[in-house]
Amino acid sequence: MGEKPLYYGWCGNTFIFASELKAFKVHPHFQPEINRDALALFLRFSYIPAPYSIYQGIYKLPPATLLSWNRHSIHPQPIAYWSAKIAAESGVAYPFTGSENEAIVHLEALLKDAVRIRMLADVPLGAFLSGGIDSSTIVALMQAQSLQPIKTFSIGFHEQDYNEAEYAKAVAQYLGTDHTELYVTSNEALAVIPKLPSLYDEPFSDSCQISTFLVSQLARHHVTVTLSGDAGDELFAGYNRYFWGRSIWHNIGWIPKAVRYFTAKVLTSVSPKAWNQGVATVDAMLSTKLKLAVSGDNLHKLASILAVPKPDIMYADLVSHWQPHEAFVIGSSELTTVLSHPNLWASLSDFTECMMFLDLISYLPGDILVKVDRASMGVSLESRIPFLDHRVVEFAWQIPLSMKIRGNQGKWLLRQVLYKYVPKKLIERPKMGFGIPIDSWLRGPLQDWAEDLLDESRLRREGYFHPQPIRQKWDEHQRGERNWQYYLWDVLMFQAWLAEN
């Protein structure tokens, strides 16, 4: 599934490989050259997808492949030993035919064994716990198989919109784990930022990298190995885009493209700030959920996908930031990725399953697993992920979509397993994620740091980016007209990495 990295390439006449890019720098003939095409991919996805790396001629070994080299192998090609594509196609073609209760029992048994195997360790063991469905399921199955309270860890933020620690604590108390939590101040979180370029080895800009590092650092004070609940969203339909992406296309796909395009133009003719001010005037009449749905940024996001001709292009827009690349990265051209290579996709008729599969082969290995692996290994903590057990992955694809999504809620089958161990009332709440308040920090404690990295003369001197669109987004963010936190964080993480390399 791509849990661990391996980089390889040529350095003169020497074939080199390592689990970290920084290892190549000790070779006396290594002369790194930034791959502008890979940089363009980074701005689009917030990570550099395999097989590319930030350096020309250095590649990442893709998930579930091996590389054979001998003196006659000038350009060795990765060979697959397992295929997510085959697993998805086979699972959908030959679905689980038992009852819902039988599916619950089977999934519980599979997950329990996947957890048991990963609990085998001759060093102290623990688990990350956010209080969400995925991590709570893993912790519940760990505690059910342990004679002692297992050690669990979570971090909290004083900004309530980003704080999940209270939910994690409630789950920990119910299960009887030995729970440790740490409330992090903005200064403690900001202190992590200078470590990120070295920690992640190449540009990487999922801002949850900060909180992931902090919880790894907390856990490492007590244990050497942790289990986590990553990959539950991709396997059991947890992301919001699986619901509203499907719903949007169902509702707009039949409308003539010209009408959708005109509607998009109308929506974007009003600035996000003006939309927000309009919503504020009728604030008392709207529910919290509706206020979020009609925020200016969300309406502009909706406009950007209204005129797309096909659902797969809509998915690509949903997971993309800066595009088109040539407008931002000087001298870049478009590289092919799994998202632009339909012959690499599983043959699936349902749009939601297509999105889940594409996340499984792109976002999961390129973002989620990179984030967890580098953060944990940066503090010498081994992270193990039971959901990545190939038996769990293969069974997840056999489960009919009707057992994953009920109404507008995902992970139905996984929830039924969890509810055997934890009361529903402790789990049911809106999905929050594991983020940090980057948007407000860029207008506050991070403003001077970011302004220095985004200085127009600096951008021109370095010669990688066209400064104008970056400065425009920075100014709009500072004025509160738009929330460009994710786009700006992409550029800032490259700039910070460049300053260190």
Side-chain angles (χ1 to χ4, degrees):
M1 299 305 298
E3 190 174 358
K4 287 292 180 181
L6 187 70
Y7 298 92
Y8 67 93
W10 287 94
C11 182
N13 293 323
T14 306
F15 184 72
I16 55 177
F17 59 96
S19 59
E20 292 183 295
L21 272 179
K22 63 176 71 72
F24 293 158
K25 294 179 180 178
V26 302
H27 194 286
H29 299 139
F30 183 63
Q31 296 180 323
E33 178 186 351
I34 289 176
N35 184 339
R36 290 174 182 263
D37 301 340
L39 175 56
L41 288 179
F42 166 68
L43 281 198
R44 181 176 179 184
F45 299 121
S46 303
Y47 60 89
I48 298 173
Y52 311 109
S53 83
I54 191 61
Y55 294 134
Q56 288 279 10
I58 302 298
Y59 301 94
K60 297 189 192 82
L61 193 63
T65 63
L66 56 88
L67 195 71
S68 295
W69 179 86
N70 59 48
R71 67 178 66 192
H72 306 297
S73 303
I74 305 300
H75 298 292
Q77 295 298 312
I79 300 170
Y81 60 81
W82 183 86
S83 169
K85 180 176 184 288
I86 292 174
E89 291 176 341
S90 177
V92 171
Y94 303 99
F96 180 80
T97 56
S99 67
E100 290 181 347
N101 189 60
E102 288 170 331
I104 294 168
V105 170
H106 188 62
L107 178 60
E108 180 185 13
L110 271 181
L111 284 174
K112 204 167 186 178
D113 193 54
V115 166
R116 179 190 63 80
I117 292 170
R118 286 157 185 82
M119 288 178 68
L120 297 174
D122 54 6
V123 292
L125 175 85
F128 298 148
L129 179 61
S130 70
I133 295 162
D134 304 332
S135 66
S136 297
T137 301
I138 298 303
V139 168
L141 295 175
M142 290 176 72
Q143 191 59 69
Q145 300 178 88
S146 175
L147 298 177
Q148 302 295 327
I150 64 167
K151 296 181 183 297
T152 54
F153 306 94
S154 66
I155 61 167
F157 290 96
H158 297 288
E159 293 88 348
Q160 196 57 37
D161 287 346
Y162 294 85
N163 184 40
E164 285 193 303
E166 58 193 71
Y167 306 119
K169 185 176 182 179
V171 171
Q173 287 177 336
Y174 185 85
L175 291 173
T177 72
D178 179 3
H179 190 60
T180 303
E181 65 177 8
L182 173 69
Y183 272 78
V184 179
T185 66
S186 60
N187 286 337
E188 288 172 318
L190 296 175
V192 175
I193 292 175
K195 303 174 184 177
L196 297 177
S198 175
L199 194 69
Y200 283 87
D201 231 10
E202 62 180 349
F204 181 80
S205 56
D206 181 336
S207 60
C208 295
Q209 61 200 133
I210 296 175
S211 41
T212 304
F213 175 81
L214 287 167
V215 76
S216 297
Q217 190 176 57
L218 172 66
R220 187 60 185 88
H221 290 309
H222 304 270
V223 299
T224 310
V225 175
T226 57
L227 273 62
S228 78
D230 296 291
D233 286 310
E234 292 82 0
L235 294 175
F236 298 99
Y239 292 130
N240 289 332
R241 59 174 166 263
Y242 299 153
F243 317 118
W244 65 273
R246 176 194 188 100
S247 177
I248 288 172
W249 188 254
H250 175 75
N251 288 316
I252 72 170
W254 62 272
I255 301 173
K257 184 178 176 182
V259 176
R260 288 188 272 130
Y261 183 76
F262 175 76
T263 306
K265 293 288 283 185
V266 171
L267 288 172
T268 55
S269 67
V270 180
S271 73
K273 187 175 184 179
W275 276 118
N276 291 338
Q277 288 170 342
V279 170
T281 62
V282 292
D283 185 86
M285 299 165 57
L286 301 177
S287 67
T288 301
K289 186 175 182 180
L290 186 56
K291 278 185 284 189
L292 288 172
V294 297
S295 71
D297 282 310
N298 277 351
L299 288 172
H300 273 239
K301 191 171 186 178
L302 172 61
S304 71
I305 61 176
L306 272 175
V308 297
K310 297 190 300 182
D312 55 301
I313 295 177
M314 186 177 86
Y315 168 82
D317 282 350
L318 287 173
V319 298
S320 297
H321 288 175
W322 299 83
Q323 56 176 334
H325 59 83
E326 64 272 8
F328 309 109
V329 180
I330 297 170
S332 65
S333 58
E334 189 164 358
L335 292 171
T336 60
T337 68
V338 292
L339 296 187
S340 59
H341 229 305
N343 66 317
L344 298 177
W345 304 354
S347 181
L348 303 167
S349 59
D350 187 279
F351 178 39
T352 299
E353 289 180 332
C354 289
M355 288 193 287
M356 291 171 64
F357 174 75
L358 291 174
D359 278 342
L360 191 72
I361 63 172
S362 59
Y363 179 63
L364 177 67
D367 186 312
I368 301 298
L369 300 184
V370 169
K371 176 179 63 186
V372 176
D373 179 73
R374 309 306 191 272
S376 57
M377 293 307 292
V379 293
S380 300
L381 178 73
E382 181 186 345
S383 175
R384 300 176 181 177
I385 306 177
F387 283 123
L388 295 184
D389 189 302
H390 73 94
R391 298 169 301 166
V392 175
V393 174
E394 289 161 3
F395 181 64
W397 279 105
Q398 290 182 288
I399 299 169
L401 202 56
S402 61
M403 289 191 195
K404 294 175 184 174
I405 297 175
R406 292 284 169 94
N408 285 323
Q409 191 178 63
K411 301 184 185 176
W412 181 84
L413 191 64
L414 190 60
R415 290 171 192 267
Q416 308 319 303
V417 172
L418 176 58
Y419 296 155
K420 289 186 171 186
Y421 300 87
V422 178
K424 192 174 183 178
K425 64 181 181 180
L426 292 183
I427 299 297
E428 293 299 337
R429 63 182 185 276
K431 187 176 178 64
M432 184 180 290
F434 200 36
I436 58 174
I438 290 291
D439 55 343
S440 59
W441 287 0
L442 287 176
R443 300 185 187 101
L446 284 179
Q447 187 179 39
D448 291 342
W449 168 79
E451 179 63 61
D452 178 55
L453 290 174
L454 301 180
D455 177 74
E456 184 170 349
S457 60
R458 177 175 184 160
L459 294 175
R460 292 192 186 282
R461 183 176 67 252
E462 291 166 345
Y464 291 103
F465 298 124
H466 294 288
Q468 191 276 329
I470 293 171
R471 292 301 307 181
Q472 180 180 338
K473 281 182 169 51
W474 173 246
D475 292 339
E476 288 175 353
H477 189 86
Q478 291 305 306
R479 293 193 297 264
E481 295 174 2
R482 295 292 302 269
N483 180 6
W484 290 117
Q485 59 173 326
Y486 300 120
Y487 289 71
L488 292 169
W489 196 248
D490 294 335
V491 179
L492 288 166
M493 284 295 96
F494 174 77
Q495 290 294 95
W497 176 86
L498 184 65
E500 294 287 322
N501 286 273

